[in-house]
Amino acid sequence: MLPTICQAAIAVVSITAAVYDIRIRKIPNWLVLAGFLSGITANTWLLHWAGLRASLLGLLLAFAIYLPLYLLRGMGAGDVKLMAAIGSIAGPSNWLVIFIFTALLGGVAAVVILLGRGGLGRALTNVGFILTELAHMRPPYAREELDVGSDKGARLPHGVVIAGGTLLFLGAAQALAQ
């Protein structure tokens, strides 16, 4: 279970990021910097060197998993930085649970959006294309609709999904603690 100060920090950072992602489709650098600093500071203050180590490992794990997705143009840099900030607050093991909740929630949200737009068949075709391109060591964003920077693709505000996954984690942790 995360300490109360870390629970508050992670909730504030993720909810604020979601609001910005909905409103302006960007996650501000000042917010992720505040997340990094609050995670490193709180964990170091509470757990000394072990807290600093956990904070840095959470940050690095999140960055290592999300950076390739950014490089493949599957998400924006703000999403990578937000998850790294959340990793610095949560530590590596808690971040992995947040990551799983976020991935599941993101998958459900993507299917719902695609069903609403009638694009599920095309999305499944794109998954096959992506896997083929990656197997041949080619970037899958050759199709404009697969580049997060293109207006032709269906986009999901991932900051909102990250906030949802984070809040699900906090709720589940609270329920298990009782």
Side-chain angles (χ1 to χ4, degrees), residues 52-176:
L52 176 62
R53 181 178 178 272
S55 188
L56 293 175
L57 284 175
L59 186 152
L60 291 172
L61 177 63
F63 188 75
I65 290 175
Y66 265 61
L67 181 62
L69 300 172
Y70 167 75
L71 294 174
L72 291 170
R73 299 187 187 169
M75 67 180 47
D79 301 323
V80 177
K81 293 180 282 187
L82 174 61
M83 273 303 235
I86 288 173
S88 77
I89 299 168
S93 58
N94 288 324
W95 182 83
L96 278 172
V97 177
I98 291 169
F99 171 69
I100 291 167
F101 281 146
T102 299
L104 293 172
L105 187 60
V108 169
V111 168
V112 168
I113 288 171
L114 290 169
L115 282 173
R117 294 182 181 172
L120 188 58
R122 181 72 175 156
L124 294 175
T125 302
N126 283 337
V127 168
F129 176 80
I130 290 168
L131 294 174
T132 301
E133 293 300 292
L134 291 175
H136 290 96
M137 303 301 286
R138 295 187 298 247
Y141 52 81
R143 288 186 182 169
E144 268 190 290
E145 66 207 50
L146 299 178
D147 186 341
V148 75
S150 170
D151 289 333
K152 292 188 177 184
R155 289 193 261 169
L156 176 70
H158 196 58
V160 175
V161 177
I162 292 170
T166 302
L167 296 175
L168 281 172
F169 164 78
L170 291 173
Q174 195 68 32
L176 289 173

